[in-house]
């Protein structure tokens, strides 16, 4: 009798106080373990506001001031009989603008990045002040050269000026990743359907020709031949191929594209060394997590995340994610070289890594803590790229800060000046940029301010929100989860503190919802209208899915569904 009573008391205690929970076991990433739980000095800026200000400031043709405006119209009509906007790569870049190189030297990385970023925060770039900036992006579709994919420039005449055109693989692949993301937001844009199919066909055929061997510098999509040059092999181009092909499969339903995505992912994973080159590897990690639950594949998410974070890349030696504290500043989370001058991180790469890495947790909640902690560090450190948020003694050009109008950041920051003989008095982190090196003796000092890197700010703007507790972020997991199946609003909240915290969680819409936590695999609140207090345990996460009140809960193939829509991909 006493034994039975004791068991009943234990069960009551468990039910009442939640001692035992069906928590998803969290997996760690070595590089993230090196990061501060709560980075210091801590300052989370308003990234959505920064993105809004960037758009209205950069897209102002009447902007005044030294080196302004930052935008012009290119009327050379390459590939399509229409003008296209040009945006400076860096402030004062002498190669660019309407008066130089026929006005035709501009990069898809800047133009597409700015269109995507603005679109992610709700700005319609297809009808902004009488202009359709989305349609203009078609000029990067290089049909005049028969490549028939999106490229970083509109034509080979300016290719050797910079931007990797037709000789540096990631530069040729990434504009297509950007295009497909924009295409999802503007599915009815004229010509986008056949352009998207052309890209998918080229990538599918390229993967078929490569037959698992991506050991090349680039691929000639006109001749359909893999090529080698002085640039080392970029096997992680397979991740870019795979992401585009999977997006094409989700869009068009052609199973060849699914087969191509699986083939490219298999080629990526089969590498014996870390093949990370620039910024495509995180897309491979994301696809691994997503395809494992959607297609039943068994790709190694941990391996691909390790390649993304660890700085063990061979070709691009040391490329990964920075960790550590430099002269009292936590710089962890920023993407770049872990070796160059003791570490050299870049803003655009950091923004763009968040795009695939944050939605990973929706498909594999085991990484909720790791991604939550990384993002807190990355978001905090990224303010240091902007002159108004970095101490003057850590900047190469504090005297020129006004030229940025508060929306253009330095290209990167380093542990010591990468100019070697210049700015040697500055202590880490040194906010700087490579612009003057691109055209030595001609590009001005202010070309260290990166317009193209800053143009991707909308990625952070769409994902990152503050909560009622300083240092606890609310991350929109769906913001960059392109071509996904139907989903309810989903947010990752990570608590970096060593004690439990209560966050006032505001729901997205006006209808009442139930809150499901995919990490604890349980409903934590019912019938919520406007907001609810949510408890987040110390150094832990919640992954909240806002489901319909009293929705019909079913289970199929280890997936938990509410009214037929998946809310948990790994419900055991």
């Amino acid at each position: 009798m006493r034994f039975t009573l004791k068991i009943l008391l234990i069960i009551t205690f468990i039910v009442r106080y939640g001692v035992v929970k069906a928590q998803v076991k969290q997996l760690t990433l070595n590089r993230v373990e090196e990061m501060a739980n709560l980075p210091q000095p801590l300052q989370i800026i308003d990234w959505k506001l920064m993105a809004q200000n960037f758009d209205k400031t950069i897209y102002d043709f009447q902007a005044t001031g030294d080196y302004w405006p930052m935008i012009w119209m290119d009327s050379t009509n390459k590939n399509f009989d229409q003008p296209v906007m040009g945006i400076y790569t860096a402030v004062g870049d002498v190669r660019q603008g309407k008066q130089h190189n026929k006005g035709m030297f501009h990069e898809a990385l800047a133009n597409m990045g700015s269109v995507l970023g603005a679109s992610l925060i709700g700005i319609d770039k297809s009808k902004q002040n009488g202009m359709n900036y989305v349609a203009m992006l078609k000029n990067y579709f290089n049909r005049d050269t028969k490549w028939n994919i999106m490229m970083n420039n509109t034509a080979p005449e300016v290719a050797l000026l910079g931007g990797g055109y037709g000789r540096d693989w990631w530069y040729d692949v990434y504009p297509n990743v950007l295009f497909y993301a924009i295409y999802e937001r503007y599915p009815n844009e004229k010509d986008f359907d056949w352009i998207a199919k052309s890209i998918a066909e080229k990538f599918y055929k390229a993967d078929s020709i490569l037959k698992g061997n991506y050991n090349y510098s680039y691929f000639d999509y006109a001749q359909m031949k893999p090529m080698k040059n002085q640039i080392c092999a970029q096997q992680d181009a397979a991740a870019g191929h795979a992401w585009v092909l999977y997006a094409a499969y989700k869009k068009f339903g052609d199973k060849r594209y699914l087969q191509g995505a699986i083939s490219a992912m298999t080629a990526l994973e089969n590498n014996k060394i870390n093949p990370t080159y620039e910024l495509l590897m995180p897309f491979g990690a994301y696809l691994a997590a997503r395809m494992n639950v959607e297609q039943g594949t068994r790709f190694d998410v941990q391996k691909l995340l390790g390649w993304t974070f660890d700085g063990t890349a061979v070709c691009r030696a040391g490329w990964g994610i920075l960790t550590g504290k430099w002269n009292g500043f936590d710089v962890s989370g920023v993407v770049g070289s872990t070796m160059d001058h003791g570490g050299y991180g870049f803003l655009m790469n950091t923004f763009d890594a968040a795009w695939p890495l944050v939605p990973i947790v929706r498909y594999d909640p085991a990484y909720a803590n790791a991604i939550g902690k990384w993002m807190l560090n990355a978001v905090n450190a990224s303010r240091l790229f902007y002159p108004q948020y970095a101490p003057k003694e850590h900047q190469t050009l504090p005297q020129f800060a006004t030229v940025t109008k508060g929306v253009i950041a330095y290209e990167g920051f380093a542990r010591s000046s990468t100019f070697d003989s210049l700015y040697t008095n500055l202590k880490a982190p040194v906010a700087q940029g490579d612009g003057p090196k691109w055209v030595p003796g001609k590009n001005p000092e202010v070309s260290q301010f990166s317009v193209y890197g800053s143009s991707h700010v909308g990625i952070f703007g769409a994902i990152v929100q503050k909560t009622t507790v300083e240092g606890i972020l609310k991350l929109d997991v769906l913001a960059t989860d392109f071509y996904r199946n139907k989903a309810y609003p989903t947010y990752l909240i990570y608590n970096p503190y060593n004690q439990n915290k209560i966050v006032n969680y505001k729901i997205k819409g006006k209808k009442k919802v139930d809150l499901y936590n995919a990490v604890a695999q349980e409903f934590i609140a019912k019938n919520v209208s406007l907001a609810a207090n949510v408890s987040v345990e110390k150094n832990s996460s919640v992954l909240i899915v806002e489901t319909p009140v009293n929705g019909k809960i079913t289970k199929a193939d280890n997936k938990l569904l509410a009214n037929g829509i998946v809310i948990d991909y790994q419900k055991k």
Side-chain angles (χ1 to χ4, degrees), residues 498-515:
N498 290 322
Q499 60 266 1
N500 297 354
K501 292 288 184 179
I502 301 292
V503 173
N504 186 252
Y505 177 92
K506 297 178 181 178
I507 67 172
K508 185 173 184 178
K510 296 180 179 179
K511 293 183 178 179
K512 292 182 178 181
V513 296
D514 294 338
L515 302 183

Side-chain angles (χ1 to χ4, degrees), residues 299-317:
F299 293 118
D300 191 338
V301 181
Q302 185 79 9
K303 178 180 182 179
L304 299 181
L305 281 173
W307 281 349
T308 297
F309 278 78
D310 287 349
T312 55
V314 175
C315 164
R316 199 74 174 273

Side-chain angles (χ1 to χ4, degrees), residues 175-209:
N176 298 280
V177 176
L178 288 164
F179 170 77
Y180 255 86
I182 293 166
Y183 176 39
E184 193 229 44
R185 293 300 167 117
Y186 301 93
N188 300 317
E189 191 60 52
K190 185 177 182 292
D191 297 318
F192 272 24
D193 277 352
W194 69 261
I195 288 174
K197 287 179 182 176
S198 172
I199 293 166
E201 287 296 319
K202 285 286 188 176
F203 280 18
Y204 174 75
K205 291 174 184 175
D207 180 78
S208 301
I209 291 166

Side-chain angles (χ1 to χ4, degrees), residues 90-91 93 95 344 396-397 411 419 422-423 432-449:
V91 173
D93 195 320
R95 303 167 298 175
Y344 190 6
T396 56
L397 305 173
E411 183 183 10
F419 290 91
L422 299 174
Y423 315 114
Q432 61 153 85
D434 291 335
K437 299 179 182 180
W438 299 337
V439 193
K442 294 184 179 179
N443 254 5
E445 286 182 292
V446 291
S447 62
Q448 295 183 59
F449 294 122

Side-chain angles (χ1 to χ4, degrees), residues 56-352:
K56 70 181 181 183
T57 306
I58 297 297
Y59 279 82
D60 180 1
F61 286 88
Q62 268 65 59
T64 58
D66 291 342
Y67 305 105
W68 290 82
M70 292 291 162
I71 189 170
W72 72 95
M73 294 304 297
D74 167 9
S75 299
T76 55
N77 294 8
K78 296 294 184 179
N79 302 303
F80 283 84
D81 188 18
Q82 63 173 19
V84 58
M85 82 286 198
I87 295 176
Y88 277 83
T89 296
V91 173
D93 195 320
V94 297
R95 303 167 298 175
Q96 298 180 304
K98 196 173 183 67
Q99 307 307 318
H100 303 102
N101 296 300
K102 301 178 183 178
M104 62 187 291
F105 182 57
H106 41 83
E107 299 190 57
L109 291 186
N111 289 15
M112 286 187 176
S114 65
V115 168
L116 176 61
S119 302
L120 287 173
I121 61 167
I123 297 171
D124 188 346
K125 298 294 286 184
S126 69
K127 47 184 179 183
Q128 186 180 40
N129 300 323
M131 305 283 269
N132 186 344
Y133 295 109
V134 178
M136 293 180 191
L137 300 177
K138 292 188 294 187
N139 292 59
Y140 291 105
F141 181 74
N142 275 236
R143 59 179 177 176
D144 291 350
T145 61
K146 310 300 182 187
W147 278 52
N148 290 322
I149 63 170
M150 290 288 175
M151 297 184 73
N152 195 40
N153 305 127
T154 60
E157 289 96 311
V158 292
L160 293 178
L161 293 176
Y165 185 97
R167 63 186 185 276
D168 193 348
W169 207 348
W170 84 271
Y171 268 116
D172 296 333
V173 170
Y174 197 53
N176 298 280
V177 176
L178 288 164
F179 170 77
Y180 255 86
I182 293 166
Y183 176 39
E184 193 229 44
R185 293 300 167 117
Y186 301 93
N188 300 317
E189 191 60 52
K190 185 177 182 292
D191 297 318
F192 272 24
D193 277 352
W194 69 261
I195 288 174
K197 287 179 182 176
S198 172
I199 293 166
E201 287 296 319
K202 285 286 188 176
F203 280 18
Y204 174 75
K205 291 174 184 175
D207 180 78
S208 301
I209 291 166
L210 291 162
K211 295 179 180 178
N213 178 17
Y214 277 73
N215 194 33
Y216 294 93
S217 304
Y218 72 102
F219 193 91
D220 186 321
Y221 293 91
Q223 300 183 66
M224 297 307 291
K225 290 172 55 178
M227 309 292 282
K228 290 187 177 182
N229 57 23
Q230 77 282 2
I231 300 172
C232 60
Q234 297 181 33
Q235 299 97 327
D236 62 344
H241 270 179
W243 190 93
V244 167
L245 287 168
Y246 196 66
Y249 165 67
K250 298 295 287 188
K251 175 65 179 181
F252 301 115
D254 189 329
K255 289 190 176 180
R256 292 180 305 130
Y257 300 153
L258 172 60
Q259 294 165 358
I262 292 173
S263 171
M265 282 293 295
T266 302
L268 178 69
E269 189 174 274
N270 283 345
N271 281 284
K272 303 303 180 186
I273 51 99
N274 181 350
T276 293
Y277 185 77
E278 181 76 20
L279 47 67
L280 293 172
M281 187 60 71
F283 291 89
Y286 159 80
L287 272 185
R290 180 172 175 180
M291 292 173 70
N292 284 352
V293 296
E294 288 190 344
Q295 306 300 332
T297 55
R298 294 189 175 182
F299 293 118
D300 191 338
V301 181
Q302 185 79 9
K303 178 180 182 179
L304 299 181
L305 281 173
W307 281 349
T308 297
F309 278 78
D310 287 349
T312 55
V314 175
C315 164
R316 199 74 174 273
W319 201 263
I321 293 183
L322 274 58
T323 64
K325 188 182 284 286
W326 296 349
N327 293 309
F329 290 90
D330 274 307
V331 299
S332 293
V334 169
V335 180
S337 173
T338 61
M339 298 171 59
D340 188 2
H341 289 76
Y344 190 6
F346 296 91
L347 181 59
M348 188 188 80
N349 298 71
T350 307
F351 283 153
D352 289 21

